[in-house]
Amino acid sequence: MTKLIIDGKEIDVPAEYTLLQACEAAGAEIPRFCYHERLSIAGNCRMCLVEVKGGPKPVASCAWGVRDCRPGPKGEPPEISTRSPMVKKAREGVMEFLLINHPLDCPICDQGGECDLQDQAMGYGVDTSRFAENKRAVEDKYLGALVKTSMNRCIQCTRCVRFSAEVAGAPEMGATGRGEDMEITTYLEHALTSELQGNLVDICPVGALTSKPYAFAARPWELGKTQSIDVMDGLGSAIRVDTRGREVMRILPRINEAVNEEWISDKTRHVVDGLRTQRLDRPYIREAGKLRAASWPEAFAAIAAKAARTDGKRIGAIAGDLAGVEEMFALKDLLARHGSSNLAVQGGDAFDPALGRGSYLFNPTLAGVEQADALLIIGANPRKEAAVFNARIRKRWRAGGFKVGVIGAKADLTYDYDHLGAGTETLGELAAGKHSFMDVLKNAKHPIIMVGAGAAARHDGAAILAAAAKLALDVGAVKDGWNGFGVLHETASRVGALDIGFTAGQGGLNAAQMTTFGTLDLLFLLGADEIKAPDGTFVVYIGTHGDRGAHRADVILPAAAYTEKSAIYVNTEGRVQMTGRAAFPPGEAREDWAIVRALSEALGKKIGYDSLAALRQAVFKAVPHLIRLDQIEAGSADQIKKLAGKGGSPEKAPFKPLVEDFYLTNPIARASAVMAECSRLASGHMLNAAE
């Protein structure tokens, strides 16, 4: 630790700190535009100037290290001043230069009210201008469907350039020209290709980069703000949902160091318009091959009539990607009262909850990747299945000493990796020690074996999981203080479903069996849209959008989207999280658990809770660890040994990517015009790359 005196206050800070960090640790406020905690240091805005005693001029505190400060003539600690007349004059001068060419756009700027330049001009600027010449004009750039540019406002802080190159791993932005002619632009002015480009809007300290879909929609002070959790993938990123009246206006990230740091994917951020379009707002019944609007009692009566003629063993339920724990628990309870254990969650057939949580969690944890020194990816494309997590893997790779191997389809993951092979044969060869990457894993202190959806969703997924678990044990990835076996789930509902046992029970049917012709008479789809129900099965769809599941349904019951209910979700590492209700469902739509509760009464099999609180008590009694929000009930090494002991013979077929189109993976995304445009641009980019 190094002693410093900052504004007369003595403080101990680590020698590797910058002066800016040291000043903030001492409680001083340092203005900045180019400096960002998660990006490399550029030192080009000069707003963070401070005075070092004995120095002839102020220094940029973001680029000056604590270890570079000299002690006084008698060995006294270096003295720093953040409020001296020299500092005040220097900051006023810098602000005056920044504002020389900045247009007076504040009344019509989308960043108004959330603009660093606006705030700091108030705090550190002067109230007059001495600049009488013409302001420079810069042509706006095309960056794609998500980021709108107004480059006259740009102050060349280069945050966007550094974010694209360092965090997103798509170095498509840069600066051309020098001095007054310097401009930030993309190469060849094509659309950005990163799945994280929406974060450019958050890190831009002025209004040069703003959100194109949200442009001129609302001012920040008009909006109600609700803390919630994202369900577009299996990470459970922390988000803030901003609403005006009943309408969700935008979604922004919240800081959660353990999960998403401060980034969110473009699908998380811009799926908002999908919450408004193609919504189911009343029940429907299919008559003579056509759906017609109906009342709730009519819809329930149609289901009750079918259920009365159906043997309980021929009733099943499949939960979709966005289902919360409470509604799955209620539906499981309802089927149990019919004597049925035909339960499944989309993509979950390979997992056996009886083996314990360790067999299906991402055990190293999302933040734990930063401790790892080797990673083997089996049948996964983390860039498409968990874009924010992929950025964390890239962050670890950039730090050095981190080898990545991939078994599966080749893809641009934004970091270098060894492509070991395409399918299960390679996994067998690796286990037999025929690949040099086996030595990398064995010599690593903290190796990770990560199994993705492309492997687990196959019908031989259980055998692949067992083989991967055995490999993890063989290379020493599972030991005291480190559990390196992990499953990367791409959906928000799956871990919660496995936790509560929403899987085929004793003698029950899994999803593949339930969707075989002739096995079921009545099938409940809880937002399950990737399921092809066979002809002859009576399908009840409980969901939010007129998507694939609703097109096949015989009865549709309109439900609430994730922003319209408070629900428990469990992310891929086993962290228990809860969404916050930001708005209300449209029309006659109701919360999913309330629909199941009302339906149980109509079927004469009433489940015993009349409120969400009572339902949660039942959930917590059955699965106690779900009561501990934002905590992880860790899996054990014994559970992975049990999984490895299951054995099995995987088929010799290459792993295929499960997520073909990042932007259109669920009903909300498929209803979004913004996501459709992003998908079109991405497919065009892939065609160009192929040429």
Side-chain angles (χ1 to χ4, degrees):
M1 301 292 274
T2 305
K3 269 193 172 46
L4 292 177
I5 298 172
I6 298 173
D7 292 338
K9 177 180 175 183
E10 193 170 292
I11 185 171
D12 277 330
V13 293
E16 60 271 16
Y17 265 28
T18 62
L19 272 189
L20 188 148
Q21 290 171 306
C23 291
E24 294 209 322
E29 184 180 306
I30 306 293
R32 84 290 300 266
F33 291 114
C34 68
Y35 176 80
H36 191 283
E37 290 83 353
R38 301 183 201 279
L39 303 177
S40 60
I41 293 168
N44 56 7
C45 78
R46 319 311 280 181
M47 195 64 207
C48 62
L49 295 173
V50 297
E51 182 181 358
V52 178
K53 187 176 179 183
K57 57 185 180 180
V59 300
S61 60
C62 70
W64 192 281
V66 164
R67 57 163 60 95
D68 298 328
C69 295
R70 288 194 202 161
K74 296 179 182 174
E76 60 266 38
E79 285 188 44
I80 317 295
S81 176
T82 69
R83 295 194 290 263
S84 68
M86 178 202 276
V87 171
K88 184 173 185 295
K89 187 181 178 192
R91 287 178 183 168
E92 286 176 355
V94 169
M95 182 60 73
E96 195 172 0
F97 273 119
L98 286 175
L99 295 178
I100 274 176
N101 282 311
H102 199 78
L104 287 171
D105 277 354
C106 296
I108 53 106
C109 176
D110 257 2
Q111 203 95 326
E114 298 172 315
C115 173
D116 291 352
L117 185 65
Q118 208 175 42
D119 295 342
Q120 291 181 39
M122 282 289 290
Y124 303 99
V126 290
D127 59 354
T128 56
S129 171
R130 293 178 285 173
F131 189 73
E133 289 76 11
N134 293 325
K135 289 178 182 285
R136 69 169 193 159
V138 183
E139 197 175 315
D140 291 343
K141 309 296 188 290
Y142 171 73
L143 299 185
L146 302 180
V147 182
K148 174 172 172 273
T149 61
S150 183
M151 300 313 287
N152 284 333
R153 302 170 187 158
C154 179
I155 60 169
Q156 286 88 38
C157 69
T158 68
R159 278 188 184 184
C160 53
V161 177
R162 285 174 285 146
F163 175 86
S164 299
E166 295 164 16
V167 178
E172 299 162 324
M173 297 191 78
T176 62
R178 298 179 65 187
E180 194 180 39
D181 296 323
M182 181 175 169
E183 293 184 23
I184 303 290
T185 181
T186 57
Y187 302 121
L188 307 179
E189 294 203 19
H190 65 68
L192 297 172
T193 59
S194 171
E195 297 81 10
L196 301 171
Q197 60 183 277
N199 295 293
L200 293 172
V201 174
D202 289 341
I203 64 170
C204 181
V206 294
L209 304 178
T210 55
S211 172
K212 194 177 273 188
Y214 176 70
F216 310 120
R219 288 296 196 184
W221 53 84
E222 300 174 315
L223 304 174
K225 300 166 179 63
T226 308
Q227 295 192 355
S228 191
I229 296 299
D230 171 51
V231 299
M232 293 294 117
D233 54 32
L235 298 184
S237 301
I239 59 172
R240 192 186 87 196
V241 182
D242 286 2
T243 51
R244 184 171 61 191
R246 294 176 66 99
E247 190 176 7
V248 175
M249 300 303 293
R250 66 175 179 178
I251 290 172
L252 296 176
R254 286 187 294 123
I255 294 176
N256 186 338
E257 297 293 349
V259 180
N260 60 307
E261 299 181 286
E262 64 181 80
W263 319 122
I264 53 174
S265 74
D266 294 337
K267 186 164 52 176
T268 299
R269 184 186 300 268
H270 290 295
V271 81
V272 169
D273 64 317
L275 292 165
R276 300 190 279 267
T277 48
Q278 295 188 356
R279 284 302 298 270
L280 299 171
D281 59 357
R282 67 190 70 180
Y284 289 86
I285 297 174
R286 190 176 296 278
E287 288 181 354
K290 290 188 177 179
L291 289 168
R292 71 163 178 87
S295 66
W296 281 101
E298 279 183 289
F300 286 161
I303 300 166
K306 180 65 179 177
R309 304 192 302 271
T310 304
D311 176 15
K313 301 278 188 201
R314 293 180 68 81
I315 299 175
I318 300 175
D321 296 346
L322 311 181
V325 165
E326 293 91 342
E327 54 252 35
M328 290 191 284
F329 187 87
L331 191 54
K332 180 188 178 189
D333 197 351
L334 177 59
L335 260 68
R337 288 165 196 263
H338 282 90
S340 170
S341 59
N342 302 326
L343 300 167
V345 62
Q346 280 181 176
D349 285 359
F351 304 99
D352 183 1
L355 298 174
R357 291 192 102 206
S359 67
Y360 57 82
L361 292 185
F362 189 75
N363 294 291
T365 72
L366 301 175
V369 165
E370 296 188 26
Q371 299 172 36
D373 45 4
L375 169 65
L376 175 65
I377 301 173
I378 303 170
N381 181 339
R383 183 172 176 181
K384 287 190 175 179
E385 292 164 27
V388 175
F389 179 54
N390 193 62
R392 201 186 276 260
I393 297 175
R394 175 179 165 77
K395 177 183 174 184
R396 174 63 190 90
W397 171 78
R398 287 185 73 239
F402 184 61
K403 285 270 194 180
V404 182
V406 171
I407 301 177
K410 284 185 178 178
D412 178 9
L413 297 181
T414 73
Y415 40 85
D416 295 339
Y417 60 84
D418 296 331
H419 186 255
L420 309 179
T424 51
E425 286 176 315
T426 308
L427 187 58
E429 289 170 10
L430 194 68
K434 295 179 183 175
H435 265 288
S436 59
F437 201 80
M438 190 66 173
D439 297 330
V440 172
L441 292 171
K442 281 184 173 175
N443 295 332
K445 288 183 180 176
H446 297 128
I448 294 177
I449 310 295
M450 181 169 82
V451 185
R458 292 173 22 154
H459 64 272
D460 60 345
I464 296 169
L465 283 167
K470 185 174 186 307
L471 179 65
L473 293 168
D474 290 347
V475 300
V478 181
K479 55 193 171 188
D480 285 348
W482 181 254
N483 187 338
F485 174 76
V487 180
L488 183 66
H489 295 281
E490 84 287 7
T491 70
S493 61
R494 193 173 301 140
V495 176
L498 296 170
D499 275 356
I500 63 169
F502 198 89
T503 52
Q506 196 68 39
L509 305 176
N510 63 23
Q513 293 162 333
M514 281 191 263
T515 51
T516 305
F517 181 77
T519 55
L520 289 185
D521 293 330
L522 176 58
L523 175 62
F524 291 96
L525 296 182
L526 187 61
D529 290 271
E530 324 304 321
I531 296 294
K532 289 183 180 173
D535 294 337
T537 302
F538 189 89
V539 175
V540 178
Y541 178 74
I542 304 171
T544 58
H545 285 72
D547 204 72
R548 299 165 190 167
H551 293 171
R552 170 62 186 85
D554 294 286
V555 176
I556 295 173
L557 304 177
Y562 71 105
T563 55
E564 298 157 2
K565 63 188 176 187
S566 174
I568 293 171
Y569 288 87
V570 188
N571 78 349
T572 189
E573 61 182 347
R575 187 180 301 276
V576 184
Q577 299 173 299
M578 190 183 289
T579 60
R581 175 192 265 170
F584 289 90
E588 295 176 42
R590 296 291 180 267
E591 290 184 45
D592 310 60
W593 76 268
I595 293 171
V596 176
R597 163 67 183 78
L599 178 60
S600 71
E601 201 159 348
L603 298 179
K605 306 278 187 182
K606 185 177 174 183
I607 51 182
Y609 18 81
D610 297 326
S611 69
L612 184 58
L615 170 54
R616 282 190 176 145
Q617 287 303 317
V619 172
F620 298 152
K621 189 175 179 185
V623 190
H625 72 255
L626 292 177
I627 200 170
R628 295 191 285 278
L629 283 180
D630 206 38
Q631 292 185 35
I632 300 172
E633 181 82 9
S636 70
D638 291 341
Q639 293 164 346
I640 293 161
K641 286 173 186 167
K642 281 186 199 170
L643 174 61
K646 295 276 281 189
S649 302
E651 290 182 6
K652 292 182 179 179
F655 297 124
K656 291 182 181 173
L658 193 71
V659 179
E660 291 285 355
D661 192 330
F662 168 78
Y663 297 102
L664 304 176
T665 54
N666 61 57
I668 303 176
R670 286 191 287 267
S672 165
V674 176
M675 291 295 100
E677 175 66 6
C678 290
S679 173
R680 185 187 68 77
L681 288 170
S683 60
H685 171 73
M686 286 169 68
L687 286 172
N688 293 338
E691 287 168 10

